[in-house]
């Protein structure tokens, strides 16, 4: 039995411990061979090709696993890259949405101005039509007057 202050001991063969450590290294490096690469204990024992019970007897290795996850978190390199890409895309989407909103507001303003100009143009056409329909007195040509 181990003393509470001593490091936990593995109760697995050296071959099993090596398989678990190799699997752990592959998972931490983002190079899984037999799993999806998520940092779970299920993936650790599957990656090492040992049973869950056998993995659970590897106390020192599990302590290393837990310490690594406490320090580095459960995000694997591929997930970190994916998360960075998603964050970048969200930032770009926000910028494009703001640009679209600005352009939409400009379009609405242009629509209003065009409608006002159209209305003014129609009013001027109607006024011109009313003025043409009134009697117009022709202007005599200027020039020297003939004497009679």
């Amino acid at each position: 039995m181990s003393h509470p202050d001593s490091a936990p001991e593995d109760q697995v063969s050296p071959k099993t411990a090596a398989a678990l450590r190799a699997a752990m290294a592959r998972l931490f490096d983002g190079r899984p061979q037999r799993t999806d690469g998520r940092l779970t204990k299920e993936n650790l024992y599957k990656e090492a090709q040992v049973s869950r019970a056998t993995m659970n007897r590897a106390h020192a290795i599990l302590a290393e696993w837990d310490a690594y996850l406490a320090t580095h978190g459960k995000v694997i390199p591929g997930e970190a890259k994916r998360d960075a890409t998603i964050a970048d895309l969200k930032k770009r989407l926000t910028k494009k949405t703001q640009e679209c909103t600005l352009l939409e507001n400009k379009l609405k303003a242009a629509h209003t101005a065009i409608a006002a100009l159209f209305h003014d143009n129609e009013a001027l056409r109607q006024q011109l039509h009313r003025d043409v329909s009134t009697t117009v007195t022709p202007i005599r040509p200027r020039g020297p007057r003939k004497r009679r």
Side-chain angles (χ1 to χ4, degrees):
M1 181 163 190
S2 65
H3 189 271
D5 293 336
S6 67
E9 292 182 21
D10 289 333
Q11 298 172 352
V12 295
S13 71
K15 180 181 174 185
T16 300
L20 283 165
R21 279 197 166 71
M24 191 165 49
R26 285 194 306 274
L27 289 171
F28 291 161
D29 291 342
R31 310 177 281 104
Q33 294 176 350
R34 299 172 182 90
T35 64
D36 62 8
R38 289 178 300 125
L39 299 180
T40 63
K41 287 183 181 175
E42 179 179 4
N43 280 351
L44 177 59
Y45 75 79
K46 287 180 178 178
E47 191 70 28
Q49 292 184 305
V50 299
S51 70
R52 178 180 281 281
T54 300
M55 177 194 67
N56 286 336
R57 289 194 307 274
H59 304 292
I61 294 172
L62 290 178
E64 291 173 29
W65 175 269
D66 292 338
Y68 180 91
L69 293 183
T71 304
H72 298 94
K74 288 188 171 189
V75 178
I76 59 175
E79 289 174 337
K81 184 178 178 182
R82 179 204 64 207
D83 292 348
T85 301
I86 289 172
D88 179 56
L89 289 172
K90 283 182 178 179
K91 190 184 302 181
R92 288 172 51 196
L93 178 62
T94 299
K95 183 179 176 184
K96 293 297 181 188
T97 301
Q98 290 170 347
E99 288 175 12
C100 285
T101 301
L102 178 63
L103 290 172
E104 186 176 354
N105 290 338
K106 286 182 177 183
L107 183 62
K108 286 178 183 176
H111 180 269
T112 302
I114 291 168
L117 290 170
F118 177 80
H119 176 72
D120 290 349
N121 194 23
E122 285 297 306
L124 288 170
R125 286 179 194 268
Q126 289 173 4
Q127 182 180 352
L128 181 62
H129 182 66
R130 279 192 307 270
D131 290 349
V132 169
S133 63
T134 60
T135 307
V136 176
T137 308
I139 300 175
R140 287 189 231 143
R142 293 185 184 238
R145 291 188 181 185
K146 293 183 180 177
R147 293 190 182 201
R148 294 186 186 183

